Structure formats: C-alpha cells, structure tokens
Amino acid sequence: MKLDTKAIRYLTAEDWRVLSAVEMGSKNHELVPTSLVTQIAGLRSGSGVHKSISNLAKVGLIAKMKNAKYDGYRLTYGGLDYLALNTHRKSSSIYSVGNQIGVGKESDIYVVASSSGDQRVLKIHRLGRISFRTVKANRDYLRNRNSGSWMYMSRLAAMKEYAFMKVLRDNGFPVPEPIAQSRHTVVMSLVDAFPLRQISSIPDPAGLYAELLALIVQLASFGLIHGDFNEFNILVEEIATPATKSTLSSPSGAPAQTDNTLVQPSTDSTDSSPPPAVTLVPTIIDFPQMISIDHTDAIFYFDRDVNCIKRFFSRRFHFTSDEPGPFFSDAIKHVRKRLDVEVEASGFSRKMAKELDAYMKEVGVDGDAVEGAGEEENSEGEGDSEENSGDEAKETSLSDFNTHFENKSMPSTITRQGLPLVDQTFTSYT
C-alpha cells in the first residue's frame, strides 16, 4: 500500500488517543469492540470518541469488517504507519516524507528528511502483505497471536533489522547507520550508492567479488550469517580518494588500476595535481533474515549466500573464480566475537527470533535469492479495498517545505542499468 501522509497533520490529540487505543486493543482482538476503544482512550465524552472514530475511518486508518458479529474496528496498515510516523516526528527522526524508492514482498522504502534537511531512508516492514495471501488461519490473533498478527510480526522484523544493523555498524561493518525504530519501521542513513543488481560493468570484478566473499566470511567470524546476501541487498558506492604518483603509472596512458580502484586521468593539462582514485565500496542492507551460526540451517544459508554472489558475477560480469569455497567449516574456525549474543542481550530475544523465523517460513518469505524480490507487487492485504476506497484525492502540497535530489550523474567507473534517482520531493507533515 502507498504511504499517504496528507491527513496526518489534521489529526487532533483525541484522534491520536483513539488510534492508539485501537492499536492497544488489537493485541488481543482481531476486531476491537467500540466499547473497549472508548475505555482505553479514556476520553470523558463518549461522543468525542465516536467523532474521532469517524475521522479515522474516513482517512482509512481504521476500518470495519464485513459481517462482524459486534460493533468494532481494526487497525489498518495506514493507521500503523501514522502511529510510527508520529513517534518518529516526536523524536525528531523524521520531519518530512519524500518519494517511494523501493518496494518488495516484505517492505516499502521511502526517502525522508530530518528538520535540518538531512536525507534519510524509512523502511516500512509489511509482512502482512504476504500472510494475507497465503495463511488464512493466522487472522485470529486470540488463538495464534505470535504467528498470526501482522502487526506483531512486522514489528519483530523491524526490531531485528535495527538491532543487527546497530551491532554491525558498531563493529565496523559496511551497513547504513541505524537512526531510529518504531513499531514496524526503521529509519537509517541514506547511502549514495547504486544497487549491485543495476550495475552492468565494473573495472575489476575480481576485486569486488573477493571483497564480498570476504564479508560473508567476516560475518561468520562474528557469529552471523546474512541469509539473503545477493545483488538485491548490496549497494555499491564510489569513493574518490587522492591518488599518489605511484598509482599513476600506465604505459598506454589509460587509467591505472589497483584491485577495485580506478585512477581517473586528468583532462586539464595545466593541472599538476594527481587525479583522484575512485574506489568501489559495497554496503550491505536488509537484515530481517540474518541468523546465528548456531542456527540449524546455518550451513545451508551460508552456502546460499556464497553461491548467490558466484552466480551473479558469472552471469552479469562473466567472472568465475577458480578457487573453491569459502566454506562454513573454515569460516567459523576462528570466531572473534559473537554479535548474535549481543543482539539477544539488546532486547531481541531468541524467542522472538524463533517466532519470526517460523512465521516467515510459514508464509513463504525466503529472501530475494530464490524469487528475485524487489519487483513491484500489488498489495492485496486484508481490507485493501476498504482502505483505498473513494475517489482519488487531488495531489496537494501540505507545506512549502520541498527539497530535491540533484540529478544523479552516471558513475565514472561503473555502468548502471536503468535510470538514476531524480527529483525526490519531500512534503512536511508536521
């Protein structure tokens, strides 16, 4: 579903209390009785609750269920989105929301900005988008809450991603900076890079190949396996560094190249300074399927991560290494640190991990390696027809706060497939 923030600034304090009441009631009820909403909201006037319910239902934040046995409402994904955005607004993590830059089976990705204009990324986990299609039994939150609640499971996925991203960042791994997490959303730094799947050529495939396999081994030496390490979840960034004279030797006059670094020749004959060297630096993203090396399927996922990289480099860059491996048994011989234990100590418990793992297997979420996620899918979640009903509203600006990406030029050392990101427009909802 599309994130629509046009109504968020018009919600009153009473509307927020009623929306929060529906969320709290959803922990034990698939359909929260109106009387319970009134009780949890704690508003003095009963008419005020009904007015807020009407306001929230009009903008699709809560919805009724057809053929319900009693009067009540359920929280929609739009309502959960608003509650998360409101938390991020209060903590100053997000000031404005821009365009959607990614969509998959399990999440939606948006560019957002802070009050100072710093561009960030908002990832919204939507595990219910899968469960509503494939698992009919898990709509009963009372009978099977832990494996059935899309709110609970999406929240677990966000908690897991934030926890792993934080420990990885703290230990020097190339991952985005985690900024905040609320409910089913994660706010992280925006990496100015291209997805590996969109790159058609690089100057030194062997160098990047070796670096990516080394990352898989390094993760294992810290007690972790990514579980979905492939071209969809790897970003490649160009970093320009000053070149030394020793790197400029090239008998043919072509750019000198060392490992995965390309030295660009100077076009200005009067410029005596060495041209910059451009290094391709990978960044890992997407961690909801990360597992411990103690996991029963650890060998399978480690080998799958390795084979995904080998298969992609062979298909896209026509590069095949003669060296076998790496192998799981070798990677865990010298475990330096157990980051999986640190994550568990941070609050994302082993029980939560097992619940999320079982749920994702039950609904068929097995990463991008098999089915090539990242392609657009139409959301067919429960109640979409109710949430999206009504005439299409005309696009209006909520404020004068607008900022744009500069047109992103094609990288100098890599050839990218598709079009660059341009004209990302942000709209303030505060």
Side-chain angles (χ1 to χ4, degrees):
M1 64 168 290
K2 182 179 179 181
L3 178 64
D4 186 355
T5 62
K6 291 195 293 291
I8 195 169
R9 59 162 46 197
Y10 302 112
L11 298 185
T12 65
E14 290 76 16
D15 293 339
W16 285 115
R17 290 182 66 173
V18 171
L19 187 60
S20 298
V22 176
E23 180 191 28
M24 293 178 64
S26 297
K27 294 178 180 179
N28 298 308
H29 297 79
E30 182 179 10
L31 188 66
V32 186
T34 304
S35 57
L36 182 59
V37 174
T38 303
Q39 180 182 347
I40 297 175
L43 298 179
R44 294 181 179 179
S45 172
S47 60
V49 172
H50 289 284
K51 181 180 178 181
S52 293
I53 287 176
S54 177
N55 294 337
L56 297 172
K58 284 180 181 177
V59 293
L61 305 185
I62 60 175
K64 280 193 170 184
M65 291 183 65
K66 296 179 179 178
N67 304 320
K69 296 180 180 179
Y70 56 88
D71 184 42
Y73 292 83
R74 63 174 181 84
L75 186 67
T76 66
Y77 252 130
L80 192 63
D81 292 346
Y82 269 40
L83 287 167
L85 285 174
N86 193 43
T87 300
H88 289 309
R89 177 187 63 83
K90 290 180 178 179
S91 64
S92 300
S93 300
I94 297 178
Y95 174 77
S96 56
V97 178
N99 292 348
Q100 186 172 10
I101 59 173
V103 60
K105 299 191 298 288
E106 309 139 46
S107 62
D108 293 329
I109 314 294
Y110 292 84
V111 176
V112 297
S114 65
S115 57
S116 61
D118 293 333
Q119 294 168 0
R120 298 171 175 177
V121 168
L122 172 68
K123 181 172 183 179
I124 306 176
H125 290 268
R126 301 200 187 281
L127 294 188
R129 181 151 59 196
I130 299 297
S131 67
F132 289 144
R133 301 179 188 184
T134 58
V135 184
K136 299 183 184 299
N138 64 12
R139 300 190 183 193
D140 188 345
Y141 301 164
L142 279 174
R143 182 182 61 196
N144 195 14
R145 173 185 179 270
N146 288 342
S147 65
S149 170
W150 55 269
M151 287 188 295
Y152 180 67
M153 288 300 158
S154 296
R155 173 175 166 267
L156 285 188
M159 288 178 61
K160 180 177 182 179
E161 177 148 47
Y162 182 83
F164 277 106
M165 202 185 311
K166 189 175 188 307
V167 297
L168 289 171
R169 180 83 177 188
D170 292 343
N171 284 272
F173 282 88
V175 300
E177 177 188 0
I179 297 173
Q181 181 262 324
S182 174
R183 295 173 175 85
H184 63 319
T185 65
V186 178
V187 180
M188 65 191 79
S189 60
L190 176 64
V191 180
D192 185 17
F194 295 98
L196 181 59
R197 64 185 174 87
Q198 294 182 353
I199 298 175
S200 58
S201 66
I202 55 177
D204 180 28
L208 184 59
Y209 172 87
E211 188 171 358
L212 293 177
L213 290 188
L215 276 174
I216 296 176
V217 174
Q218 187 180 5
L219 283 170
S221 70
F222 278 77
L224 298 174
I225 299 172
H226 188 280
D228 203 14
F229 199 92
N230 55 67
E231 65 271 21
F232 294 94
N233 298 324
I234 298 170
L235 306 178
V236 179
E237 181 180 7
E238 286 188 320
I239 304 295
T241 56
T244 61
K245 292 184 179 180
S246 60
T247 63
L248 302 180
S249 58
S250 175
S252 63
Q257 182 176 310
T258 304
D259 295 331
N260 213 42
T261 302
L262 186 71
V263 180
Q264 297 295 329
S266 175
T267 57
D268 188 355
S269 59
T270 62
D271 188 5
S272 60
S273 61
V278 179
T279 303
L280 303 184
V281 179
T283 298
I284 314 169
I285 59 173
D286 199 21
F287 307 101
Q289 292 184 218
M290 182 164 274
I291 60 174
S292 166
I293 56 175
D294 294 333
H295 193 279
T296 54
D297 296 325
I299 298 178
F300 167 79
Y301 284 108
F302 181 91
D303 290 343
R304 190 177 76 168
D305 285 351
V306 171
N307 291 331
C308 279
I309 297 302
K310 289 186 174 183
R311 185 168 55 249
F312 176 77
F313 271 73
S314 175
R315 183 179 67 249
R316 178 64 57 84
F317 305 129
H318 307 292
F319 172 81
T320 303
S321 175
D322 295 331
E323 296 184 8
F327 301 104
F328 179 74
S329 57
D330 297 329
I332 62 172
K333 283 183 178 178
H334 305 287
V335 177
R336 292 181 280 176
K337 198 173 183 180
R338 294 299 298 264
L339 296 186
D340 52 335
V341 177
E342 287 191 20
V343 168
E344 187 176 341
S346 70
F348 187 79
S349 66
R350 188 172 302 180
K351 178 184 176 183
M352 292 178 177
K354 288 182 178 179
E355 289 174 346
L356 182 60
D357 184 51
Y359 178 83
M360 295 178 79
K361 286 184 178 180
E362 183 182 17
V363 300
V365 177
D366 197 28
D368 302 329
V370 178
E371 297 182 350
E375 300 175 357
E376 290 192 3
E377 295 192 33
N378 295 323
S379 175
E380 299 176 4
E382 181 184 23
D384 280 354
S385 59
E386 294 175 320
E387 297 170 24
N388 298 328
S389 61
D391 296 332
E392 289 292 330
K394 185 178 181 181
E395 194 72 27
T396 57
S397 176
L398 301 183
S399 73
D400 295 330
F401 180 84
N402 291 295
T403 183
H404 300 270
F405 273 129
E406 295 180 355
N407 285 353
K408 194 174 178 66
S409 59
M410 295 296 286
S412 55
T413 63
I414 60 178
T415 304
R416 179 175 182 265
Q417 296 178 334
L419 298 175
L421 295 173
V422 294
D423 293 335
Q424 299 288 347
T425 304
F426 295 83
T427 302
S428 168
Y429 60 84
T430 57

